[in-house]
Amino acid sequence: MPNVTFRICLWLCGGICIDAAFERRASFFELIVLIGLCVPVSAQAASAGQAECAGRSLDIIRLAYPGATNADDVFRLAGSTITLPTGDNVDGDPRRVICRIWPAHPQLTLVAVPLMTEQSDSENEGDIELLVVDSTNLHVKQRLRLQGLMSDDAIYVESVAFDTARYQLAPGKTAFGLRVTLEGSSRANPFGETTLWLFSVDGDGLKPILDNIVVSENHGEWDTACAGEFDEITRTLSIGSPAKGVFADIVVTEKTTTSVATVGKDGDCQSEDKTTIGKHRLRYDGSKYAVPKDLKRDE
């Protein structure tokens, strides 16, 4: 029998596509098997480059939270739990401390500290505190607590990662990003979403300069055998040329792909894709970049 090639992507692998060939009457179960191969991908990608504490995470937390008590790799502070990475390995666990040396300012290290107040298999509650520390002596220079960012339930936090692309927003003003990825637990209604925040150093503090923009989203509904409709949205940010005393515009290029899967006359699963491209321009309003509601995470 001739083979049929399916493009398995978007809703299965968080935006990663796989071309796979199957016999025309191959069981759809063979497609489902590939889902299992996709699960670790986003976690591994998020973890890459995030374990740069160089064995110093214990010292960082002791200096940042002098009132905390610790046992092994866990600190407790005013009802919150802080969990250190295992060595320099974050193990794909979004509730462990992550660090990254800031390439634009290597004398500084970025640290994200999940402050968990509740953890269970069905529900988690917690914040994230961002720290900018001196890469040499580990003293905290700036910090900012983001309320509720680690709270989840059926839509769970799958990964947390720094984005240190060179966001040169104005002369002498470089931002760094934080990406938080959510995943759904429903097989019939798959869902995944990554949101980006940008922060800049503002004196002794950190300033949110762009918040809550969805840079990746995939969702759909299917009969768990073949038929269904799936959507993927990816957004790429590019920075204009900053002028003296003026913050550059951020141009967001948006790619939306809709895939419709149906059962053909011969019983094989067929998919048709439709892709559109759009652009958005974000302007600095004097304190931050305003993000249109349709680009932000639903809350």
Side-chain angles (χ1 to χ4, degrees), residues 255-276:
K255 178 181 178 181
T256 303
T257 301
T258 298
S259 300
V260 178
T262 56
V263 179
K265 294 181 179 179
D266 296 332
D268 55 331
C269 194
Q270 301 175 339
S271 178
E272 292 186 4
D273 298 345
K274 180 180 179 181
T275 298
T276 58

Side-chain angles (χ1 to χ4, degrees), residues 10 15 65 76 106 123 191 264:
L10 317 178
Y65 305 95
R76 301 193 184 280
E123 185 177 2
F191 173 84

Side-chain angles (χ1 to χ4, degrees), residues 132-147:
V132 178
V133 306
D134 187 294
S135 296
T136 301
N137 61 30
L138 306 184
H139 289 165
V140 177
K141 299 177 72 66
Q142 291 88 17
R143 65 199 308 162
L144 175 67
R145 187 157 177 165
L146 306 172
Q147 302 288 337

Side-chain angles (χ1 to χ4, degrees), residues 203-215:
D204 292 332
L206 282 176
K207 179 181 178 181
I209 204 164
L210 181 147
D211 69 286
N212 213 24
I213 184 171
V214 177
V215 292

